Amino acid sequence: MITTIRALGLATTAFLIVATATAQAQTPGSVQTQFLPVKDEPEPKLLVDQPLSEPLTTRGVAIIPYRTENFRILPIFGSGASDVSPRVGHLHVNVDDLPWRWADAGGTGAIVLTGLPAGKHKVLIEIVTPEHRVIGGQAVSFRVPAIHGQHH
């Protein structure tokens, strides 16, 4: 029992030392945490890369990496979620200008497309508010090679 209490005390002390050092390393006013509202949030950004080359050329699988700045991808929707700070929302994804799209609220950092026919394709990825208002977007174009004898 005494060993457990001492271990707990040591763990608590270590946590407090790390937390204090982290707090002291930040300048006043620069602290940003998901636990407090962010005042004057910068504009959200979406950065989309080209599909990873290896899965595309060897298997015809388009893995499109993306990242956001000043915007968190979460599965929350509706007008109440628009007041969340730091800012949250989800993605809308459209392939080849088709009349349908889907919402992605997983925040995995990549869109994965399989089973696209060989040829040129365009994927539009948009960041949107919890109420589906588009904030911004970016399109990538790529070619899926003809790969025979493989299933996705």
Side-chain angles (χ1 to χ4, degrees):
M1 179 74 167
I2 293 174
T3 304
T4 303
I5 293 172
R6 284 186 185 151
L8 183 57
L10 288 172
T12 303
T13 302
F15 172 77
L16 291 174
I17 290 170
V18 170
T20 303
T22 302
Q24 290 173 349
Q26 297 175 342
T27 58
S30 72
V31 177
Q32 291 198 6
T33 173
Q34 63 185 357
F35 300 106
L36 298 173
V38 176
K39 295 183 187 302
D40 302 320
E41 279 187 84
E43 289 299 312
K45 292 181 186 175
L46 172 67
L47 302 139
V48 179
D49 294 330
Q50 287 294 312
L52 300 177
S53 63
E54 190 275 331
L56 187 60
T57 58
T58 61
R59 296 177 295 164
V61 175
I63 300 175
I64 305 169
Y66 71 84
R67 68 186 183 286
T68 61
E69 293 178 1
N70 311 313
F71 191 85
R72 294 178 300 150
I73 306 292
L74 293 173
I76 59 175
F77 301 89
S79 60
S82 291
D83 295 330
V84 172
S85 175
R87 188 181 291 110
V88 298
H90 57 279
L91 301 175
H92 282 177
V93 181
N94 178 264
V95 178
D96 294 334
D97 295 319
L98 292 169
W100 52 267
R101 64 195 63 213
W102 71 90
D104 181 350
T108 62
I111 301 296
V112 180
L113 300 168
T114 64
L116 290 172
K120 188 170 175 148
H121 297 280
K122 180 178 94 170
V123 175
L124 173 64
I125 303 171
E126 299 171 312
I127 52 174
V128 298
T129 68
E131 298 166 303
H132 304 283
R133 182 180 57 82
V134 176
I135 297 172
Q138 192 173 348
V140 293
S141 295
F142 56 92
R143 180 170 299 283
V144 173
I147 300 174
H148 301 288
Q150 287 190 335
H151 299 288
H152 302 284

